[in-house]
Amino acid sequence: MNNFLLLPVLIPFFFGMFLIFNQKRLAYQRITVMLGLILAIISATALVFKVYQDGPQTVTFGSWPAPFGITMVSDMVSALLVLTTLVLAFFIVWYGFESIGKERERFFYYPGVMFIITGVNGAFTTGDIFNLFVFFEVLLMASYLLIVLGGEKAQLRESIKYILVNVLSSAFFVITVAFLYSVVGTLSMADISLKIAEINQPGIITVIAVMFLMVFGMKAAIFPLYFWLPSAYSAPPIPVLALFGALLTKVGVYAIMRTYTLFFTHDLAYTHELLLILSIVTIIAGCIGALAHFDVKQIIIYNIVIAVGVILFGVAQMNQIGLEGAMFYLVHDMIIKAALFMLVGIVIYVTGTTNLRKMGGLMKTYPALGWFYLIAAFGLAGVPPLSGFVGKLLIVQGGFQAGNIWTSILILASSLVVLLSVMRIFIYAFWGEQGQVSKQVNKTVYHRMFFPTMLLVLVSIFYGVGTEWITPLMEEAAKILVEPSIYTDAVMKGGN
Amino acid sequence: MKTNDVILQFTAKIVFFMIFFYAVHIFFAGHYTPGGGFVGGLVTASAIVLLIIAFDIKTVQSIIPINYIYLVAVGLIIAGATAAFSMIMGKPFFTHYFDYFNLPILGKTSLHTAALFDLGVYLVVVGVTMTIIQTIGEDE
């Protein structure tokens, strides 16, 4: 019995409701949203420490005994992701003050952000498979609002595709849960894990595992199902894009990670081999996309696809090191993608174009922007003192340990492509002749956009340099992923 | 030329109350028989829609001067607060309380906090349905 772990979900929810009032008063909206996020960050930080000290926290709604009520579980994996989500939301909302536009701010932008955070945090925290579906819908509904808000032509066109794909995958989710329920007869994730272990994963469970991979793969954009992502993500304005790029696909990755380490662990030769192959092809497809485009947004968007592949490769190894690397890389990627989208947003703001060929020579006029972009780009590629290094190192180490030599080398090679793709932005936009410059650049607006971005890049630097402090948390997280019995014990015995 | 729909308007005035009280009945019956906040809310909204059909949106807004978006927010807050109330009492989230009371006219009645949660659902459903219909209806 411990309601504390609900606070990072409930605080954004309640503040979202209060934000529905007083739409036209921007001061009220901005102050309330920031206050809510700060409170949520404080509670999430405290939660991480509590989970670190006392082990996984659980609460089953309505005082029902464990498998019969909805259980919310906060282990190290979800506590870390919840904290990351809130910190990113804080910086992105701050960045959005100057760039989202007053019309959007006056039309339910902030409630939309708060509800998307509620959904993401709830999906990270829930311990019930159908509740996971509900939280997926909460975050998707809010994302439908944010993707179409503003009503530009491109947004309308892309939101149709986005909604269509997600409605389809949600329907598949329900069907898959129905299949699973008809086999195991329970919805609590801990109980499902125990029941599947009891019947030792017959063929039908493997089929369900692949269906789950399809459902979550559509949300997370893995290889054959990533087709909707590049065009859909190019439509919304930059703060919304940063929110989507940092959070939404990662919820799908988390769901794959959770189901493939908790439920489907008895037929690794099939399910995890499939995951491995798909993750490799995802990386290749993402690399091709990232190199093919001359549009700054598209380059970063395809880097999302690459990162999803890398994380899932770590998950597919199913050993302590690989999963620890996957956790490291997941948190790193959320931070760095948000930072990169914010940086690219500033580049678009000062040049007035997304086309790389038209840019150039920004280093003379905006040196700080250039250097911070360079740091973020190196961080993304995984240059040693920065944040992407440890995660990828551990993932590759896990790959070698599991005997996947060639595919691990391919992961290393993909880092070069990632580096090339983001350095191309640096070379084209910051070096060379003076390119196109937007007419209406306002210095104060630029500084107000740059400041939160700078802080976020500093957070990512700290994440890379302070690996020593973060490692115990990540080890804890990996231990739970490797050893599902810790999770099931916490839920089934640790309840009231 | 303006059509004269006096029969429709007169019938709507009477039928509105029949539908509305039926909705209230469904809402309160939800614990022991089929019904509850969701259906109750939909039936209430359909009663208001009947008024909109018989009259027009502006008239109905002056009869029922409610900002339906705020109604959604209020419903969410009621539902959320009911669920969160047990947190203050030191019980897990969403724990409900119930007891039997001897009310003056109704006699022995069971009162349950789940009804408050249902009231929140009811308000959200009415608010959402009416917001959808009004915004599409006002759209030129």
Side-chain angles (χ1 to χ4, degrees):
Chain A
M1 205 285 304
N2 184 0
N3 286 308
F4 182 57
L5 69 106
L6 294 174
L7 286 183
V9 185
L10 286 182
I11 291 173
F13 182 48
F14 275 98
F15 274 86
M17 296 190 272
F18 292 131
L19 282 164
I20 295 177
F21 298 104
N22 274 332
Q23 269 307 305
K24 306 296 173 209
R25 285 173 54 196
L26 286 188
Y28 166 81
Q29 292 280 314
R30 289 179 176 180
I31 292 169
T32 314
V33 77
M34 288 315 247
L35 189 70
L37 286 171
I38 289 169
L39 282 177
I41 288 172
I42 293 169
S43 61
T45 317
L47 181 64
V48 168
F49 283 110
K50 187 155 176 63
V51 170
Y52 182 61
Q53 276 171 358
D54 305 347
Q57 305 287 308
T58 64
V59 59
T60 306
F61 283 175
S63 310
W64 298 101
F68 304 113
I70 293 171
T71 314
M72 296 291 263
V73 187
S74 194
D75 54 0
M76 199 35 112
V77 183
S78 71
L80 282 172
L81 292 175
V82 162
L83 179 61
T84 318
T85 302
L86 287 166
V87 170
L88 292 181
F90 175 78
F91 284 112
I92 291 169
V93 167
W94 186 3
Y95 176 88
F97 286 163
E98 287 305 327
S99 63
I100 193 76
K102 294 220 168 18
E103 290 77 24
R104 287 195 177 92
E105 280 184 280
R106 291 206 182 97
F107 205 84
F108 302 104
Y109 169 69
Y110 294 120
V113 171
M114 284 315 230
F115 287 134
I116 214 172
I117 305 250
T118 311
V120 171
N121 281 350
F124 284 146
T125 316
T126 187
D128 182 286
I129 197 79
F130 199 78
N131 201 230
L132 179 69
F133 168 77
V134 174
F135 275 119
F136 258 115
E137 287 306 301
V138 170
L139 77 91
L140 285 174
M141 294 280 168
S143 77
Y144 300 156
L145 166 75
L146 291 180
I147 200 172
V148 81
L149 188 61
E152 289 160 21
K153 197 176 170 191
Q155 284 185 302
L156 295 175
R157 187 184 62 229
E158 298 307 332
S159 65
I160 295 270
K161 291 183 202 164
Y162 179 73
I163 293 173
L164 207 60
V165 165
N166 278 307
V167 166
L168 202 66
S169 79
S170 294
F172 274 120
F173 196 169
V174 175
I175 294 168
T176 312
V177 170
F179 269 126
L180 186 64
Y181 186 70
S182 71
V183 177
V184 295
T186 176
L187 290 171
S188 163
M189 276 152 79
D191 205 24
I192 292 173
S193 171
L194 293 175
K195 292 271 157 58
I196 289 179
E198 241 166 61
I199 54 178
N200 203 16
Q201 195 160 351
I204 182 74
I205 294 284
T206 305
V207 172
I208 292 168
V210 175
M211 286 178 74
F212 266 124
L213 186 60
M214 198 178 83
V215 168
F216 295 137
M218 215 151 184
K219 317 265 190 207
I222 63 171
F223 163 63
L225 306 166
Y226 75 103
F227 55 87
W228 55 273
L229 182 123
S231 58
Y233 276 22
S234 65
I238 292 290
V240 176
L241 172 59
L243 208 58
F244 283 19
L247 304 180
L248 294 197
T249 52
K250 306 305 181 289
V251 185
V253 171
Y254 164 79
I256 293 176
M257 206 171 186
R258 187 59 93 190
T259 47
Y260 272 60
T261 54
L262 190 61
F263 301 170
F264 310 116
T265 53
H266 309 278
D267 190 10
L268 297 183
Y270 188 84
T271 50
H272 286 62
E273 193 69 24
L274 180 70
L275 187 62
L276 184 100
I277 294 165
L278 285 180
S279 66
I280 291 297
V281 188
T282 307
I283 293 170
I284 295 172
C287 286
I288 293 171
L291 289 183
H293 282 277
F294 269 90
D295 181 304
V296 279
K297 273 197 213 169
Q298 291 291 332
I299 293 173
I300 311 291
I301 286 170
Y302 273 102
N303 270 302
I304 299 177
V305 179
I306 301 176
V308 165
V310 172
I311 298 164
L312 289 180
F313 179 83
V315 176
Q317 306 311 320
M318 273 311 271
N319 52 24
Q320 167 99 23
I321 294 188
L323 285 165
E324 195 184 328
M327 270 309 291
F328 252 115
Y329 203 79
L330 182 54
V331 175
H332 144 77
D333 191 64
M334 289 166 82
I335 298 172
I336 205 77
K337 282 289 141 57
L340 275 172
F341 277 121
M342 286 155 80
L343 285 162
V344 157
I346 299 174
V347 170
I348 294 171
Y349 174 70
V350 297
T351 58
T353 174
T354 60
N355 190 342
L356 266 187
R357 288 198 184 90
K358 290 185 187 159
M359 298 176 183
L362 286 181
M363 205 58 173
K364 278 176 208 136
T365 37
Y366 299 98
L369 179 65
W371 290 117
F372 272 98
Y373 178 80
L374 189 69
I375 293 170
F378 280 160
L380 179 71
V383 175
L386 298 170
S387 60
F389 171 68
V390 188
K392 209 172 268 184
L393 178 76
L394 292 172
I395 287 176
V396 170
Q397 201 182 334
F400 281 131
Q401 219 172 65
N404 300 311
I405 311 292
W406 286 107
T407 42
S408 304
I409 291 171
L410 194 117
I411 299 281
L412 291 176
S414 78
S415 298
L416 287 177
V417 178
V418 169
L419 184 64
L420 177 60
S421 69
V422 282
M423 284 314 288
R424 255 179 4 146
I425 299 182
F426 184 71
I427 290 168
Y428 274 87
F430 290 95
W431 285 357
E433 298 288 302
Q434 184 67 48
Q436 185 182 329
V437 177
S438 174
K439 296 281 182 297
Q440 58 264 33
V441 178
N442 182 336
K443 268 288 177 191
T444 25
V445 172
Y446 166 77
H447 285 301
R448 281 187 192 160
M449 281 163 83
F450 184 64
F451 192 62
T453 315
M454 187 183 73
L455 288 182
L456 190 55
V457 175
L458 289 177
V459 168
S460 92
I461 294 173
F462 170 77
Y463 183 77
V465 176
T467 308
E468 194 75 37
W469 295 313
I470 300 162
T471 306
L473 306 178
M474 293 295 175
E475 269 172 1
E476 189 85 358
K479 212 164 71 191
I480 281 186
L481 291 174
V482 176
E483 197 62 59
S485 63
I486 301 175
Y487 185 96
T488 52
D489 283 352
V491 176
M492 305 302 279
K493 291 170 193 161
N496 304 299
Chain B
M1 191 189 86
K2 197 174 181 303
T3 52
N4 191 349
D5 38 13
V6 63
I7 295 179
L8 177 64
Q9 291 186 347
F10 182 75
T11 326
K13 279 177 200 165
I14 297 169
V15 174
F16 170 78
F17 287 102
M18 292 159 78
I19 301 177
F20 180 70
F21 285 118
Y22 181 57
V24 174
H25 168 73
I26 290 182
F27 172 76
F28 281 113
H31 197 71
Y32 294 109
T33 54
F38 185 77
V39 204
L42 276 184
V43 174
T44 309
S46 72
I48 303 173
V49 168
L50 177 70
L51 280 189
I52 292 180
I53 291 170
F55 299 91
D56 59 280
I57 288 185
K58 283 206 183 82
T59 320
V60 175
Q61 246 171 1
S62 63
I63 299 171
I64 311 171
I66 296 175
N67 183 337
Y68 289 107
I69 292 174
Y70 287 178
L71 195 68
V72 175
V74 169
L76 278 175
I77 290 172
I78 290 176
T82 311
F85 175 69
S86 55
M87 287 171 75
I88 304 166
M89 305 294 281
K91 286 273 163 58
F93 189 69
F94 250 118
T95 305
H96 284 298
Y97 301 91
F98 68 95
D99 208 348
Y100 293 91
F101 295 95
N102 273 315
L103 296 181
I105 301 165
L106 299 168
K108 191 185 173 198
T109 321
S110 68
L111 295 182
H112 200 299
T113 49
L116 281 177
F117 183 79
D118 241 15
L119 180 69
V121 175
Y122 175 88
L123 294 179
V124 170
V125 171
V126 174
V128 167
T129 319
M130 291 318 297
T131 310
I132 293 171
I133 289 169
Q134 272 194 352
T135 41
I136 295 175
E138 282 168 350
D139 205 34
E140 294 293 314

